[in-house]
DNA sequence: ACGTATGATTTCCG
DNA sequence: CGGAAATCATACGT
């Protein structure tokens, strides 16, 4: 309604049809006494103004009559022109929404998470790669749980179906509105530009809905991630074979139980765990071993025996392979048994072991780990193993 | 149920 | 940034 009056005022001014204010009923009456064209226009305007007071049927008939009026096209175009100048120009400036940083962030994350990326052709591999590339976190390859992937795929599927629904609804609604406006544009001043604007508004609304979808999808992914990544929540002990491999390495490198990056990778592969898990394990092992060497003595001996036996077997096999006919294998085996024997001796009696040569020097050597000023070869006299010896710090 | 073992995380340091 | 130390939180054996 307000628009209507504004249009009217605009019309009078622009068209120069009348100097007086059309909104004033008196002026309309005054116009009737004027010349023929003016009277005609005034007549039409009065009819338009009065149309709301009439009954529905009357109004319908009146509308039709007005529609067929010979002045209608001219009047209509003028109204359009005015409307464009007044109504549209008012809000026409605050357009141009820049690519929302928020939605960009969401998009990036969904892409990185493998939710919105390319379709599931490569499947988990692509997703995992994307996640790894995005996160770069040490936890990357630990997300290989099939459960995780299944849940992620589920989220992905929901996301895509929802997105599709939104898009469809958006285009449907846009079409509907456009048809409606086109339809109405026959009786009401609506310019194509206005339709365009309307479409843009609709799209903005729908994209804000999309953002909500993206937001909740991100949230779901984050929750899923945290649930699966927080291994503390669902800690599993490594399997026996894995701990065996790790312990073997630890005790056979007791003088310097710091596996290199390559060694860690190798161990990780052998144990079916990640490199960071290997690092954790060695970190824990070192500190716990150092804290209470006595407690680990048995274990140390066990693995010393194990490695000794392995060494014996290996050397026996090697010698056999070297010279199948040689009777030397017996002596090789014996050497293995010898080491084994000496190793078994170690149980309990670590005092005499210093200098036994197998591994003992390292056992009591935890103080020299990480100590560049004190190479392992020149070990300081070991403290009482059972008691908690002084911490290196302080 | 409880204590211990153990993998992971946090904090601090060089 | 890698490691030590402390700490957390769960698994596991009793």
């Amino acid at each position: 309604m307000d628009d209507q009056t504004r249009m009217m005022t605009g019309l009078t001014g622009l068209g120069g049809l009348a100097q007086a204010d059309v909104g004033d009923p008196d002026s309309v009456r005054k116009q009737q006494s004027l010349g023929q064209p003016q009277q005609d226009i005034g007549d039409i305007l009065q009819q338009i103004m009065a149309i709301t007071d009439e009954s529905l049927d009357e109004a319908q008939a009146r509308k039709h009559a007005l529609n067929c009026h010979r002045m209608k096209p001219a009047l209509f175009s003028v109204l359009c022109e005015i409307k464009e100048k007044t109504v549209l120009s008012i809000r026409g400036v605050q357009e141009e929404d820049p690519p929302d940083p928020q939605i960009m962030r969401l998009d990036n994350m969904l892409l990185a998470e493998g939710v919105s990326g390319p379709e599931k052709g490569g499947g988990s591999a692509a997703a995992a790669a994307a996640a790894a590339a995005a996160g770069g976190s040490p936890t990357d390859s630990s997300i290989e749980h099939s459960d995780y992937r299944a849940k992620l795929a589920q989220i992905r599927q929901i996301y895509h179906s929802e997105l599709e629904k939104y898009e469809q609804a958006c285009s449907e609604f846009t079409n509907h509105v456009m048809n409606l406006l086109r339809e109405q544009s026959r009786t009401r001043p609506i310019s194509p530009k206005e339709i365009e604007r309307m479409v843009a508004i609709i799209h903005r609304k729908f994209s804000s809905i999309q953002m909500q979808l993206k937001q909740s999808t991100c949230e779901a992914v984050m929750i899923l991630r945290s649930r699966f990544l927080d291994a503390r929540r669902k800690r599993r002990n490594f399997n026996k074979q894995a701990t065996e491999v790790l312990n073997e390495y630890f005790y056979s490198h007791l003088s310097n139980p710091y596996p290199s990056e390559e060694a860690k990778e190798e161990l990780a592969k052998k144990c079916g765990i990640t490199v960071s898990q290997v690092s954790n394990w060695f970190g824990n092992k070192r500190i716990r071993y150092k804290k209470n060497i006595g407690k680990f003595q048995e274990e140390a001996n066990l693995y010393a025996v194990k490695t000794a036996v392995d060494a014996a077997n290996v050397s026996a096999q090697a010698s056999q392979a070297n010279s199948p006919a040689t009777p030397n294998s017996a002596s090789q085996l014996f050497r293995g048994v010898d080491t084994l024997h000496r190793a078994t001796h170690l149980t309990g009696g670590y005092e005499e072991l210093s200098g036994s040569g197998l591994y003992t020097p390292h056992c009591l050597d935890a103080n020299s780990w990480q100590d560049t000023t004190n190479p392992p070869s020149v070990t300081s006299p070991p403290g009482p193993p059972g008691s908690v010896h002084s911490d290196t710090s302080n």
Side-chain angles (χ1 to χ4, degrees), chain A residues 61-130:
Chain A
R62 174 83 56 194
K63 249 166 78 183
H64 187 255
L66 283 169
N67 235 2
C68 299
H69 198 279
R70 61 188 169 84
M71 290 295 285
K72 188 248 176 182
L75 191 59
F76 185 82
S77 75
V78 171
L79 286 172
C80 273
E81 200 179 306
I82 292 161
K83 186 172 179 181
E84 194 142 316
K85 288 217 170 111
T86 55
V87 184
L88 294 183
S89 62
I90 291 168
R91 298 171 300 184
V93 198
Q94 44 124 18
E95 293 273 340
E96 284 309 310
D97 50 335
D100 189 355
Q102 171 77 2
I103 206 163
M104 295 249 300
R105 263 203 1 245
L106 291 174
D107 273 338
N108 285 340
M109 179 184 159
L110 289 174
L111 203 70
E113 238 28 82
V115 175
S116 66
E119 257 316 312
K120 236 195 143 166
S124 51

Side-chain angles (χ1 to χ4, degrees), chain A residues 330-371:
Chain A
S331 71
Q332 291 287 353
L333 201 67
F334 181 73
R335 240 175 57 193
V337 171
D338 183 39
T339 38
L340 191 154
H341 181 76
R342 285 158 71 193
T344 5
H345 253 280
L346 303 177
T347 323
Y350 35 76
E351 293 103 12
E352 318 112 81
L353 295 177
S354 30
S356 91
L358 184 56
Y359 71 95
T360 5
H362 319 138
C363 273
L364 309 165
D365 209 15
N367 274 325
S368 71
W369 291 346
Q370 285 284 89
D371 192 357

